[in-house]
C-alpha cells in the first residue's frame, strides 16, 4: 500500500492506494472532528445527494500491520476509486464552473448541519465523466461560532479568479494554474482587472474589496483577529448568504464569447460524407474488438470519435488543447447523459508534468494511468509538421504508450498538410507512408489498413503482441 504523494498537507489524515482500493487514514489530530462528522449524519446525506465520493469505514484491525501498532491512526475509510485523476489546470471553463458550484452546493448542505469546509481548493473535486464530486471528507469540520469561512480565499484563488479571467478577459486560466498550484493570488488578480472592470459582476467585491482587506490586515496580530472573531458580527447565517451569493455569481459567468476555428472543425472539415462514415465504422470496429477498460482519444476536437468509442470502452479520456472544443464536448456529454467520457484541455506535445513538492504532489498526465487503447486520429501531421517532432519519435511514443492503436495518417497531398506547409520549408523527408509503416512493423501488427477515397488519409488499426 503506497501513500498518495499529494495527501501530505492535511495532518488529520492521509490517502493510500492499494491496487484499485483507495484508503484514507484518520489520525488522532482529526479524530474529534471526524467523529462529530459521522454523528451528524452528513456522510449519508452528502452521498445520497451524490456530492461526496462513496466512502465507507473499514475495520482498523485490517491495517495494523500497515500502519504499525504505535501508529497515530485511529480510523480508516475506503473510497470508491476515481477512474482517472485530473487537475484544475486540465479542465475547461465549464468544468471548472461546475466544480465550483459542486463545492458550494456541498458547503450549503454542510451549513445546514452547522458544518463548513476548512478549505476551498479545487483539488478536492474530481470528475466522474462530467459529474464533479467532492473527495475529501476530512475537509468538512464543525463550524466554530464567530469565525468566517476559512476556505473563501482559497476558493477565490482556485475557482473564482480563474473563472473571472476567462469569462471577462478571454484569458485561458490553465497555464496560470499549472504554473502555480496555489492558484491566482489576490495581488495577481488585482493586476488583471482595471478600475473600468468594477461594474462587472463580482469584481468589485471579490477582487477590489478583498485586495484592500488583504493589504490592510496582512500584518494583523492575533489579538486583532481575535477581536474580529469575538465581535459576534460573523454568524453562520451570514456565511450561508455569502455562499448563496457566490452560487448566483458563478452560475452567471459565461465563456461563450470565447471561440476558436477548431470548435467547428467536425462540422466543416475536408472529409467527404462517404469517408466520414468509413472512418466512423473503422473506429467502431476496432474499439468493439478490443473492448478497452481505458481508452485515450488524443486530439479529440469536439469528441465525435470519443462518443463512438464510449459505446465499447469502459472509460474514455478525451484530450484536446482547444478549450472551446472541449467545452462544446462537455456540454454535449451532459445533455446526452454520457457518463463514461472525461474531456480534458491539454496540448499532447506539452502534457501536464510532475509538479509540486519533490515533483510528486501532482502526477504527470503520462504517468497517471496506462491506457488499454489509444485513438490518434489526424494528429501526427500537427505533431510532426506543426511542432517539428520527428515522425520516428511520434510513432515510437504512441506504440510504447499502448498495445492497441487506431492511427490516422494524413499525407503531404492533403489540404490540411499543405496549409501547415504554406509558410515553412518542406524539410520533412521522413514524413511518408513508407517510413510510417516501416516504423509500425518494428513492434506492431497492422490488423487493418484503410485508405479513404481521397487517397490522402490512411487509417491503421495496430496491435502489439498479436
Amino acid at each position: 500500500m503506497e501513500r498518495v504523494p499529494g495527501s501530505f498537507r492535511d495532518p488529520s489524515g492521509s490517502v493510500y492506494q492499494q491496487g484499485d482500493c483507495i484508503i484514507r487514514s484518520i489520525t488522532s489530530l482529526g479524530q474529534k472532528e471526524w467523529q462529530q462528522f459521522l454523528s451528524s449524519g452528513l456522510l449519508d446525506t452528502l452521498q445520497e445527494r451524490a456530492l461526496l465520493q462513496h466512502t465507507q469505514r473499514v475495520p482498523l484491525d485490517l491495517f495494523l500491520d500497515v500502519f504499525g501498532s504505535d501508529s497515530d491512526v485511529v480510523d480508516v475509510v475506503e473510497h470508491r476509486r476515481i477512474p482517472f485523476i485530473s487537475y484544475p489546470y486540465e479542465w475547461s471553463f465549464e468544468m471548472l464552473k461546475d466544480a465550483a458550484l459542486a463545492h458550494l452546493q456541498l458547503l450549503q448542505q454542510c451549513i445546514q448541519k452547522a458544518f463548513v469546509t476548512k478549505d476551498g481548493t479545487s483539488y478536492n473535486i474530481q470528475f466522474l465523466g462530467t459529474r464533479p464530486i467532492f473527495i475529501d471528507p476530512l475537509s468538512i469540520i464543525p463550524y466554530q461560532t464567530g469565525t468566517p469561512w476559512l476556505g473563501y480565499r482559497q476558493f477565490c484563488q482556485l475557482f473564482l479568479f480563474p473563472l473571472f479571467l476567462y469569462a471577462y478577459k478571454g484569458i485561458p486560466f490553465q497555464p496560470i494554474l499549472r504554473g502555480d498550484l496555489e492558484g491566482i493570488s489576490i495581488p495577481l488578480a488585482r493586476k488583471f482587472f482595471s478600475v473600468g472592470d468594477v461594474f462587472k459582476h463580482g469584481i468589485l467585491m471579490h477582487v477590489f474589496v478583498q485586495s484592500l482587506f488583504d493589504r490592510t490586515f496582512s500584518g494583523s496580530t492575533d489579538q486583532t483577529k481575535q477581536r474580529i472573531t469575538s465581535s459576534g458580527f460573523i454568524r453562520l447565517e451570514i456565511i450561508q448568504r455569502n455562499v448563496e451569493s457566490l452560487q448566483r455569481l458563478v452560475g452567471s459567468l459565461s465563456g461563450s464569447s470565447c471561440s476558436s476555428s477548431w470548435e467547428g472543425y467536425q462540422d466543416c472539415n475536408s472529409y467527404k460524407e462517404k469517408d466520414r462514415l468509413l472512418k466512423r465504422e473503422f473506429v467502431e470496429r476496432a474499439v468493439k474488438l478490443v473492448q478497452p477498460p481505458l481508452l485515450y482519444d488524443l486530439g479529440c476536437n469536439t469528441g465525435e470519435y470519443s462518443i463512438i468509442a464510449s459505446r465499447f470502452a469502459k472509460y474514455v479520456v478525451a484530450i484536446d488543447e482547444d478549450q472551446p472544443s472541449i467545452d462544446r464536448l462537455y456540454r454535449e456529454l451532459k445533455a446526452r447523459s454520457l457518463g463514461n467520457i472525461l474531456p480534458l484541455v491539454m496540448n499532447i506535445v506539452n502534457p501536464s508534468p510532475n509538479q509540486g513538492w519533490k515533483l510528486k504532489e501532482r502526477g504527470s498526465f503520462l504517468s497517471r494511468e496506462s491506457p488499454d487503447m489509444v485513438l490518434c486520429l489526424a494528429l501526427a501531421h500537427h505533431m510532426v509538421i506543426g511542432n517539428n517532432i520527428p515522425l520516428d519519435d511520434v510513432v515510437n511514443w504512441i506504440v510504447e504508450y499502448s498495445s492497441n492503436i487506431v492511427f490516422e495518417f494524413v499525407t503531404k497531398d492533403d489540404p490540411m498538410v499543405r496549409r501547415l506547409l504554406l509558410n515553412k520549408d518542406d524539410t520533412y523527408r521522413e514524413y511518408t507512408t513508407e517510413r510510417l509503416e516501416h516504423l509500425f512493423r518494428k513492434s506492431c501488427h497492422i490488423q487493418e489498413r484503410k485508405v479513404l477515397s481521397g487517397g490522402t488519409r490512411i487509417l491503421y488499426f495496430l496491435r502489439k503482441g498479436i
Side-chain angles (χ1 to χ4, degrees), residues 239-251:
I239 296 176
Q240 184 170 11
R241 286 199 293 271
N242 288 338
V243 171
E244 292 169 353
S245 175
L246 281 169
Q247 285 178 310
R248 291 191 295 272
L249 169 59
V250 172

Side-chain angles (χ1 to χ4, degrees), residues 29 31 73 165 175 180 200 210 247:
L29 188 64
Q31 183 178 20
V73 175
L165 204 59
D180 191 340
K200 294 174 180 175
Q210 189 175 187
Q247 285 178 310

Side-chain angles (χ1 to χ4, degrees), residues 162-179:
L163 291 172
F164 280 166
L165 204 59
Y166 192 71
Y168 293 145
K169 297 293 184 180
I171 300 174
F173 55 80
Q174 293 87 356
I176 301 173
L177 295 187
R178 176 167 151 172

Side-chain angles (χ1 to χ4, degrees), residues 149-340:
W149 174 38
L150 298 178
Y152 168 69
R153 182 190 186 101
Q154 206 172 35
F155 182 87
C156 289
Q157 292 184 174
L158 283 160
F159 281 115
L160 196 58
F161 294 162
L163 291 172
F164 280 166
L165 204 59
Y166 192 71
Y168 293 145
K169 297 293 184 180
I171 300 174
F173 55 80
Q174 293 87 356
I176 301 173
L177 295 187
R178 176 167 151 172
D180 191 340
L181 298 182
E182 301 301 323
I184 299 175
S185 67
I186 295 171
L188 180 59
R190 174 63 183 84
K191 290 178 180 179
F192 276 117
F193 296 96
S194 66
V195 175
D197 294 315
V198 296
F199 298 107
K200 294 174 180 175
H201 192 191
I203 296 297
L204 176 62
M205 175 60 67
H206 299 287
V207 177
F208 281 78
V209 173
Q210 189 175 187
S211 176
L212 177 62
F213 271 57
D214 186 60
R215 293 196 303 271
T216 303
F217 293 105
S218 59
S220 295
T221 64
D222 290 341
Q223 187 177 10
T224 302
K225 294 175 182 177
Q226 180 61 38
R227 286 202 301 269
I228 294 173
T229 300
S230 60
S231 66
F233 173 74
I234 299 176
R235 301 188 306 277
L236 197 56
E237 294 81 4
I238 291 177
I239 296 176
Q240 184 170 11
R241 286 199 293 271
N242 288 338
V243 171
E244 292 169 353
S245 175
L246 281 169
Q247 285 178 310
R248 291 191 295 272
L249 169 59
V250 172
S252 71
L253 297 175
S254 172
S256 60
S257 61
C258 303
S259 61
S260 75
S261 58
W262 291 108
E263 185 182 1
Y265 175 74
Q266 293 289 2
D267 301 324
C268 57
N269 56 49
S270 57
Y271 293 102
K272 298 176 182 178
E273 185 59 27
K274 176 185 175 182
D275 284 342
R276 185 169 180 173
L277 290 174
L278 285 173
K279 182 176 175 179
R280 290 171 63 95
E281 291 169 359
F282 190 97
V283 170
E284 181 176 322
R285 189 162 55 249
V287 180
K288 185 177 181 179
L289 179 65
V290 175
Q291 304 267 326
L294 179 63
L295 178 145
Y296 289 175
D297 184 0
L298 307 179
C300 68
N301 195 252
T302 53
E304 178 180 3
Y305 299 97
S306 300
I307 293 172
I308 292 171
S310 71
R311 294 172 53 198
F312 308 103
K314 186 174 181 181
Y315 203 75
V316 175
V317 180
I319 304 146
D320 201 278
E321 67 174 317
D322 187 66
Q323 179 166 197
S325 294
I326 291 297
D327 262 336
R328 175 175 167 178
L329 171 59
Y330 181 71
R331 289 191 296 269
E332 181 178 358
L333 296 176
K334 287 174 62 179
R336 295 174 60 173
S337 299
L338 294 175
N340 67 331

Side-chain angles (χ1 to χ4, degrees), residues 9 122 159 182 241 247 260 304 326 334 349 369 376 382 428 430 436:
R9 291 182 180 269
S122 50
F159 281 115
E182 301 301 323
R241 286 199 293 271
Q247 285 178 310
S260 75
E304 178 180 3
I326 291 297
K334 287 174 62 179
V349 304
E369 299 288 346
C376 187
H382 293 289
Y428 308 98
E430 297 295 312
L436 177 76

Side-chain angles (χ1 to χ4, degrees), residues 393-408:
D393 282 3
V394 171
V395 172
N396 291 337
W397 169 68
I398 201 74
V399 167
E400 182 181 347
Y401 203 36
S402 181
S403 57
N404 300 282
I405 303 157
V406 176
F407 193 99
E408 180 179 10

